[in-house]
Each structure stands twice: as structure tokens, then as C-alpha cells.
Amino acid sequence: METVKQLASEKAAVIFTKSSCCICHSVKTLFYELGASPAIHELDRYANGRDMEWALRNLGCNPALPAVFIGGKYVGSSKDIISYHVDGSLKQMLKDAKAIWF
């Protein structure tokens, strides 16, 4: 769990994903299109990825992936991120965390 918490706060925006997840890919693409450069952690590429996925669940991430952290705080999964984007608050969250500048 400590590894996940440490990774989640390493940059202004952090996304935990799996390389084969199309929804995860869509969330990553949205962040790039907004001008953010998030830290991406594809759990299927980590030897302890399954343990990290369980740690995310224990932190309240449900579903566990994609798990998006902004400013070191869990903000949600794909459904939440799309909702924040539609209502305009995602961009403000990224600005407040200094993940984007405009």
C-alpha cells in the first residue's frame, strides 16, 4: 500500500492502468489532450502489479483501474473523470495541482 501511496503523489497527475485496458487508454489520451503529462503506471508491467491493484481497492478505488490521482488525491475512475471533464472541473483540478498551466 505504501508503494501505491508514494507513486500516487510523485507527480501532479498520476494514472494507474493496465496496458491492455481500452478505457484506461481513453483516460490517458484525455489527459494528454488537456496538456497534462501524467505519470502512468501500467500495473501489468510490474512484478507486484496484482498487489498494487489490491492496494488501490483498499484505498477505495472501485473499480481499481483506471485509478486517477490529482495532487496526490484519488479523484476517481473513468466514469468520474469523464463526468469531471464534461462539467469542466477536470481542467480546473489539473490547473490547481499545477499539472497544466493554461
Side-chain angles (χ1 to χ4, degrees):
M1 176 121 43
E2 287 305 313
T3 301
V4 169
K5 287 181 181 179
Q6 182 181 5
L7 292 173
S9 61
E10 74 180 350
K11 281 187 84 174
V14 178
I15 305 173
F16 291 91
T17 71
K18 282 190 178 176
S19 60
S20 61
C21 173
C22 61
I23 294 172
C24 296
H25 176 76
S26 298
V27 170
K28 291 186 292 189
T29 301
L30 173 61
F31 273 64
Y32 292 135
E33 288 178 358
L34 290 172
S37 182
I40 305 293
H41 298 287
E42 294 180 336
L43 300 188
D44 54 335
R45 301 195 189 275
Y46 284 82
N48 63 340
R50 183 156 279 184
D51 294 334
M52 292 171 69
E53 189 171 347
W54 278 107
L56 287 165
R57 287 184 194 276
N58 289 334
L59 288 173
C61 305
N62 188 22
L65 300 173
V68 178
F69 291 78
I70 298 176
K73 296 178 184 168
Y74 176 66
V75 294
S77 191
S78 56
K79 177 182 73 165
D80 305 303
I81 297 306
I82 298 303
S83 294
Y84 295 141
H85 178 58
V86 168
D87 74 14
S89 59
L90 177 60
K91 193 168 188 175
Q92 189 59 50
M93 283 186 229
L94 291 169
K95 284 180 186 178
D96 292 345
K98 308 270 191 276
I100 60 175
W101 302 100
F102 51 93

PDB file of all heavy atoms in Angstrom, residues 28-51:
ATOM      1  N   LYS A  28      -6.024   8.198 -20.403  1.00  0.00           N
ATOM      2  CA  LYS A  28      -4.674   8.733 -20.651  1.00  0.00           C
ATOM      3  C   LYS A  28      -4.699   9.736 -21.807  1.00  0.00           C
ATOM      4  O   LYS A  28      -4.116  10.819 -21.711  1.00  0.00           O
ATOM      5  CB  LYS A  28      -3.690   7.604 -20.976  1.00  0.00           C
ATOM      6  CG  LYS A  28      -3.380   6.703 -19.803  1.00  0.00           C
ATOM      7  CD  LYS A  28      -2.289   5.697 -20.115  1.00  0.00           C
ATOM      8  CE  LYS A  28      -2.723   4.671 -21.127  1.00  0.00           C
ATOM      9  NZ  LYS A  28      -1.752   3.570 -21.298  1.00  0.00           N
ATOM     10  N   THR A  29      -5.393   9.384 -22.869  1.00  0.00           N
ATOM     11  CA  THR A  29      -5.483  10.258 -24.038  1.00  0.00           C
ATOM     12  C   THR A  29      -6.146  11.584 -23.682  1.00  0.00           C
ATOM     13  O   THR A  29      -5.694  12.649 -24.121  1.00  0.00           O
ATOM     14  CB  THR A  29      -6.255   9.552 -25.172  1.00  0.00           C
ATOM     15  OG1 THR A  29      -5.560   8.349 -25.506  1.00  0.00           O
ATOM     16  CG2 THR A  29      -6.368  10.436 -26.399  1.00  0.00           C
ATOM     17  N   LEU A  30      -7.185  11.550 -22.882  1.00  0.00           N
ATOM     18  CA  LEU A  30      -7.857  12.774 -22.449  1.00  0.00           C
ATOM     19  C   LEU A  30      -6.885  13.684 -21.713  1.00  0.00           C
ATOM     20  O   LEU A  30      -6.825  14.889 -21.978  1.00  0.00           O
ATOM     21  CB  LEU A  30      -9.052  12.435 -21.553  1.00  0.00           C
ATOM     22  CG  LEU A  30      -9.753  13.619 -20.890  1.00  0.00           C
ATOM     23  CD1 LEU A  30     -10.317  14.581 -21.931  1.00  0.00           C
ATOM     24  CD2 LEU A  30     -10.843  13.119 -19.951  1.00  0.00           C
ATOM     25  N   PHE A  31      -6.099  13.134 -20.808  1.00  0.00           N
ATOM     26  CA  PHE A  31      -5.127  13.940 -20.063  1.00  0.00           C
ATOM     27  C   PHE A  31      -4.103  14.569 -21.012  1.00  0.00           C
ATOM     28  O   PHE A  31      -3.778  15.747 -20.870  1.00  0.00           O
ATOM     29  CB  PHE A  31      -4.432  13.097 -18.992  1.00  0.00           C
ATOM     30  CG  PHE A  31      -5.182  13.062 -17.692  1.00  0.00           C
ATOM     31  CD1 PHE A  31      -6.447  12.484 -17.615  1.00  0.00           C
ATOM     32  CD2 PHE A  31      -4.652  13.611 -16.545  1.00  0.00           C
ATOM     33  CE1 PHE A  31      -7.150  12.459 -16.432  1.00  0.00           C
ATOM     34  CE2 PHE A  31      -5.335  13.596 -15.347  1.00  0.00           C
ATOM     35  CZ  PHE A  31      -6.596  13.013 -15.295  1.00  0.00           C
ATOM     36  N   TYR A  32      -3.613  13.789 -21.970  1.00  0.00           N
ATOM     37  CA  TYR A  32      -2.654  14.327 -22.931  1.00  0.00           C
ATOM     38  C   TYR A  32      -3.286  15.448 -23.760  1.00  0.00           C
ATOM     39  O   TYR A  32      -2.658  16.469 -24.016  1.00  0.00           O
ATOM     40  CB  TYR A  32      -2.121  13.234 -23.847  1.00  0.00           C
ATOM     41  CG  TYR A  32      -1.255  12.211 -23.148  1.00  0.00           C
ATOM     42  CD1 TYR A  32      -1.427  10.860 -23.394  1.00  0.00           C
ATOM     43  CD2 TYR A  32      -0.259  12.581 -22.245  1.00  0.00           C
ATOM     44  CE1 TYR A  32      -0.639   9.905 -22.769  1.00  0.00           C
ATOM     45  CE2 TYR A  32       0.527  11.645 -21.608  1.00  0.00           C
ATOM     46  CZ  TYR A  32       0.340  10.305 -21.872  1.00  0.00           C
ATOM     47  OH  TYR A  32       1.117   9.369 -21.251  1.00  0.00           O
ATOM     48  N   GLU A  33      -4.539  15.266 -24.166  1.00  0.00           N
ATOM     49  CA  GLU A  33      -5.220  16.289 -24.958  1.00  0.00           C
ATOM     50  C   GLU A  33      -5.455  17.570 -24.166  1.00  0.00           C
ATOM     51  O   GLU A  33      -5.515  18.656 -24.740  1.00  0.00           O
ATOM     52  CB  GLU A  33      -6.538  15.745 -25.506  1.00  0.00           C
ATOM     53  CG  GLU A  33      -6.325  14.738 -26.620  1.00  0.00           C
ATOM     54  CD  GLU A  33      -7.615  14.147 -27.147  1.00  0.00           C
ATOM     55  OE1 GLU A  33      -8.708  14.484 -26.636  1.00  0.00           O
ATOM     56  OE2 GLU A  33      -7.526  13.327 -28.077  1.00  0.00           O
ATOM     57  N   LEU A  34      -5.580  17.451 -22.849  1.00  0.00           N
ATOM     58  CA  LEU A  34      -5.739  18.638 -21.999  1.00  0.00           C
ATOM     59  C   LEU A  34      -4.399  19.318 -21.709  1.00  0.00           C
ATOM     60  O   LEU A  34      -4.369  20.364 -21.074  1.00  0.00           O
ATOM     61  CB  LEU A  34      -6.431  18.261 -20.685  1.00  0.00           C
ATOM     62  CG  LEU A  34      -7.905  17.874 -20.805  1.00  0.00           C
ATOM     63  CD1 LEU A  34      -8.416  17.327 -19.479  1.00  0.00           C
ATOM     64  CD2 LEU A  34      -8.742  19.058 -21.263  1.00  0.00           C
ATOM     65  N   GLY A  35      -3.308  18.702 -22.156  1.00  0.00           N
ATOM     66  CA  GLY A  35      -1.987  19.290 -21.973  1.00  0.00           C
ATOM     67  C   GLY A  35      -1.232  18.778 -20.767  1.00  0.00           C
ATOM     68  O   GLY A  35      -0.152  19.275 -20.445  1.00  0.00           O
ATOM     69  N   ALA A  36      -1.782  17.792 -20.082  1.00  0.00           N
ATOM     70  CA  ALA A  36      -1.111  17.219 -18.908  1.00  0.00           C
ATOM     71  C   ALA A  36      -0.143  16.127 -19.354  1.00  0.00           C
ATOM     72  O   ALA A  36      -0.302  15.530 -20.419  1.00  0.00           O
ATOM     73  CB  ALA A  36      -2.135  16.640 -17.942  1.00  0.00           C
ATOM     74  N   SER A  37       0.839  15.890 -18.539  1.00  0.00           N
ATOM     75  CA  SER A  37       1.790  14.815 -18.764  1.00  0.00           C
ATOM     76  C   SER A  37       1.830  13.958 -17.497  1.00  0.00           C
ATOM     77  O   SER A  37       2.763  14.059 -16.699  1.00  0.00           O
ATOM     78  CB  SER A  37       3.168  15.389 -19.086  1.00  0.00           C
ATOM     79  OG  SER A  37       4.072  14.349 -19.338  1.00  0.00           O
ATOM     80  N   PRO A  38       0.803  13.119 -17.310  1.00  0.00           N
ATOM     81  CA  PRO A  38       0.707  12.359 -16.062  1.00  0.00           C
ATOM     82  C   PRO A  38       1.742  11.245 -15.978  1.00  0.00           C
ATOM     83  O   PRO A  38       2.234  10.760 -16.998  1.00  0.00           O
ATOM     84  CB  PRO A  38      -0.705  11.763 -16.140  1.00  0.00           C
ATOM     85  CG  PRO A  38      -0.961  11.613 -17.599  1.00  0.00           C
ATOM     86  CD  PRO A  38      -0.277  12.797 -18.244  1.00  0.00           C
ATOM     87  N   ALA A  39       2.052  10.855 -14.758  1.00  0.00           N
ATOM     88  CA  ALA A  39       2.832   9.632 -14.548  1.00  0.00           C
ATOM     89  C   ALA A  39       1.872   8.474 -14.792  1.00  0.00           C
ATOM     90  O   ALA A  39       0.762   8.468 -14.259  1.00  0.00           O
ATOM     91  CB  ALA A  39       3.385   9.592 -13.134  1.00  0.00           C
ATOM     92  N   ILE A  40       2.281   7.541 -15.624  1.00  0.00           N
ATOM     93  CA  ILE A  40       1.450   6.389 -15.957  1.00  0.00           C
ATOM     94  C   ILE A  40       2.096   5.145 -15.362  1.00  0.00           C
ATOM     95  O   ILE A  40       3.274   4.881 -15.601  1.00  0.00           O
ATOM     96  CB  ILE A  40       1.314   6.212 -17.492  1.00  0.00           C
ATOM     97  CG1 ILE A  40       0.792   7.483 -18.149  1.00  0.00           C
ATOM     98  CG2 ILE A  40       0.471   4.992 -17.820  1.00  0.00           C
ATOM     99  CD1 ILE A  40      -0.618   7.849 -17.802  1.00  0.00           C
ATOM    100  N   HIS A  41       1.324   4.394 -14.607  1.00  0.00           N
ATOM    101  CA  HIS A  41       1.818   3.147 -14.027  1.00  0.00           C
ATOM    102  C   HIS A  41       0.939   2.012 -14.523  1.00  0.00           C
ATOM    103  O   HIS A  41      -0.217   1.887 -14.087  1.00  0.00           O
ATOM    104  CB  HIS A  41       1.815   3.208 -12.500  1.00  0.00           C
ATOM    105  CG  HIS A  41       2.718   4.263 -11.966  1.00  0.00           C
ATOM    106  ND1 HIS A  41       4.094   4.143 -11.984  1.00  0.00           N
ATOM    107  CD2 HIS A  41       2.460   5.481 -11.444  1.00  0.00           C
ATOM    108  CE1 HIS A  41       4.632   5.231 -11.473  1.00  0.00           C
ATOM    109  NE2 HIS A  41       3.658   6.063 -11.149  1.00  0.00           N
ATOM    110  N   GLU A  42       1.455   1.234 -15.475  1.00  0.00           N
ATOM    111  CA  GLU A  42       0.722   0.097 -16.019  1.00  0.00           C
ATOM    112  C   GLU A  42       1.019  -1.111 -15.149  1.00  0.00           C
ATOM    113  O   GLU A  42       2.122  -1.661 -15.181  1.00  0.00           O
ATOM    114  CB  GLU A  42       1.103  -0.129 -17.475  1.00  0.00           C
ATOM    115  CG  GLU A  42       0.653   1.025 -18.348  1.00  0.00           C
ATOM    116  CD  GLU A  42       0.996   0.860 -19.814  1.00  0.00           C
ATOM    117  OE1 GLU A  42       1.948   0.121 -20.138  1.00  0.00           O
ATOM    118  OE2 GLU A  42       0.299   1.490 -20.626  1.00  0.00           O
ATOM    119  N   LEU A  43       0.052  -1.483 -14.336  1.00  0.00           N
ATOM    120  CA  LEU A  43       0.270  -2.477 -13.302  1.00  0.00           C
ATOM    121  C   LEU A  43       0.612  -3.855 -13.846  1.00  0.00           C
ATOM    122  O   LEU A  43       1.279  -4.636 -13.171  1.00  0.00           O
ATOM    123  CB  LEU A  43      -0.932  -2.546 -12.365  1.00  0.00           C
ATOM    124  CG  LEU A  43      -1.267  -1.247 -11.632  1.00  0.00           C
ATOM    125  CD1 LEU A  43      -2.350  -1.492 -10.602  1.00  0.00           C
ATOM    126  CD2 LEU A  43      -0.041  -0.645 -10.972  1.00  0.00           C
ATOM    127  N   ASP A  44       0.189  -4.158 -15.069  1.00  0.00           N
ATOM    128  CA  ASP A  44       0.538  -5.460 -15.639  1.00  0.00           C
ATOM    129  C   ASP A  44       2.015  -5.534 -16.023  1.00  0.00           C
ATOM    130  O   ASP A  44       2.513  -6.592 -16.375  1.00  0.00           O
ATOM    131  CB  ASP A  44      -0.364  -5.805 -16.822  1.00  0.00           C
ATOM    132  CG  ASP A  44      -0.405  -4.747 -17.898  1.00  0.00           C
ATOM    133  OD1 ASP A  44      -0.146  -3.566 -17.602  1.00  0.00           O
ATOM    134  OD2 ASP A  44      -0.718  -5.095 -19.054  1.00  0.00           O
ATOM    135  N   ARG A  45       2.727  -4.440 -15.925  1.00  0.00           N
ATOM    136  CA  ARG A  45       4.167  -4.430 -16.222  1.00  0.00           C
ATOM    137  C   ARG A  45       5.020  -4.457 -14.954  1.00  0.00           C
ATOM    138  O   ARG A  45       6.234  -4.424 -15.023  1.00  0.00           O
ATOM    139  CB  ARG A  45       4.511  -3.220 -17.070  1.00  0.00           C
ATOM    140  CG  ARG A  45       3.735  -3.197 -18.386  1.00  0.00           C
ATOM    141  CD  ARG A  45       4.318  -2.234 -19.367  1.00  0.00           C
ATOM    142  NE  ARG A  45       3.487  -2.052 -20.525  1.00  0.00           N
ATOM    143  CZ  ARG A  45       3.500  -2.843 -21.598  1.00  0.00           C
ATOM    144  NH1 ARG A  45       4.293  -3.880 -21.635  1.00  0.00           N
ATOM    145  NH2 ARG A  45       2.724  -2.584 -22.628  1.00  0.00           N
ATOM    146  N   TYR A  46       4.371  -4.490 -13.794  1.00  0.00           N
ATOM    147  CA  TYR A  46       5.058  -4.571 -12.507  1.00  0.00           C
ATOM    148  C   TYR A  46       4.973  -6.002 -11.981  1.00  0.00           C
ATOM    149  O   TYR A  46       3.907  -6.628 -12.071  1.00  0.00           O
ATOM    150  CB  TYR A  46       4.397  -3.657 -11.469  1.00  0.00           C
ATOM    151  CG  TYR A  46       4.684  -2.193 -11.612  1.00  0.00           C
ATOM    152  CD1 TYR A  46       3.976  -1.409 -12.504  1.00  0.00           C
ATOM    153  CD2 TYR A  46       5.654  -1.583 -10.825  1.00  0.00           C
ATOM    154  CE1 TYR A  46       4.220  -0.049 -12.621  1.00  0.00           C
ATOM    155  CE2 TYR A  46       5.906  -0.223 -10.930  1.00  0.00           C
ATOM    156  CZ  TYR A  46       5.189   0.534 -11.831  1.00  0.00           C
ATOM    157  OH  TYR A  46       5.441   1.867 -11.941  1.00  0.00           O
ATOM    158  N   ALA A  47       6.067  -6.496 -11.400  1.00  0.00           N
ATOM    159  CA  ALA A  47       6.052  -7.837 -10.807  1.00  0.00           C
ATOM    160  C   ALA A  47       5.016  -7.926  -9.683  1.00  0.00           C
ATOM    161  O   ALA A  47       4.376  -8.961  -9.499  1.00  0.00           O
ATOM    162  CB  ALA A  47       7.441  -8.192 -10.278  1.00  0.00           C
ATOM    163  N   ASN A  48       4.838  -6.849  -8.939  1.00  0.00           N
ATOM    164  CA  ASN A  48       3.868  -6.826  -7.841  1.00  0.00           C
ATOM    165  C   ASN A  48       2.591  -6.082  -8.235  1.00  0.00           C
ATOM    166  O   ASN A  48       1.873  -5.563  -7.383  1.00  0.00           O
ATOM    167  CB  ASN A  48       4.487  -6.190  -6.593  1.00  0.00           C
ATOM    168  CG  ASN A  48       4.872  -4.737  -6.809  1.00  0.00           C
ATOM    169  OD1 ASN A  48       5.027  -4.294  -7.948  1.00  0.00           O
ATOM    170  ND2 ASN A  48       5.033  -3.988  -5.736  1.00  0.00           N
ATOM    171  N   GLY A  49       2.280  -6.058  -9.520  1.00  0.00           N
ATOM    172  CA  GLY A  49       1.117  -5.324 -10.029  1.00  0.00           C
ATOM    173  C   GLY A  49      -0.202  -5.758  -9.435  1.00  0.00           C
ATOM    174  O   GLY A  49      -1.067  -4.933  -9.138  1.00  0.00           O
ATOM    175  N   ARG A  50      -0.369  -7.051  -9.230  1.00  0.00           N
ATOM    176  CA  ARG A  50      -1.626  -7.547  -8.650  1.00  0.00           C
ATOM    177  C   ARG A  50      -1.789  -7.039  -7.217  1.00  0.00           C
ATOM    178  O   ARG A  50      -2.867  -6.627  -6.803  1.00  0.00           O
ATOM    179  CB  ARG A  50      -1.652  -9.067  -8.685  1.00  0.00           C
ATOM    180  CG  ARG A  50      -2.960  -9.621  -8.157  1.00  0.00           C
ATOM    181  CD  ARG A  50      -3.219 -10.960  -8.686  1.00  0.00           C
ATOM    182  NE  ARG A  50      -3.765 -10.752 -10.030  1.00  0.00           N
ATOM    183  CZ  ARG A  50      -4.191 -11.700 -10.804  1.00  0.00           C
ATOM    184  NH1 ARG A  50      -4.120 -12.936 -10.416  1.00  0.00           N
ATOM    185  NH2 ARG A  50      -4.698 -11.449 -11.989  1.00  0.00           N
ATOM    186  N   ASP A  51      -0.688  -7.031  -6.460  1.00  0.00           N
ATOM    187  CA  ASP A  51      -0.740  -6.499  -5.089  1.00  0.00           C
ATOM    188  C   ASP A  51      -1.057  -5.010  -5.104  1.00  0.00           C
ATOM    189  O   ASP A  51      -1.803  -4.515  -4.261  1.00  0.00           O
ATOM    190  CB  ASP A  51       0.587  -6.724  -4.363  1.00  0.00           C
ATOM    191  CG  ASP A  51       0.873  -8.190  -4.120  1.00  0.00           C
ATOM    192  OD1 ASP A  51      -0.092  -8.976  -4.048  1.00  0.00           O
ATOM    193  OD2 ASP A  51       2.058  -8.545  -4.021  1.00  0.00           O
TER     194      ASP A  51
END
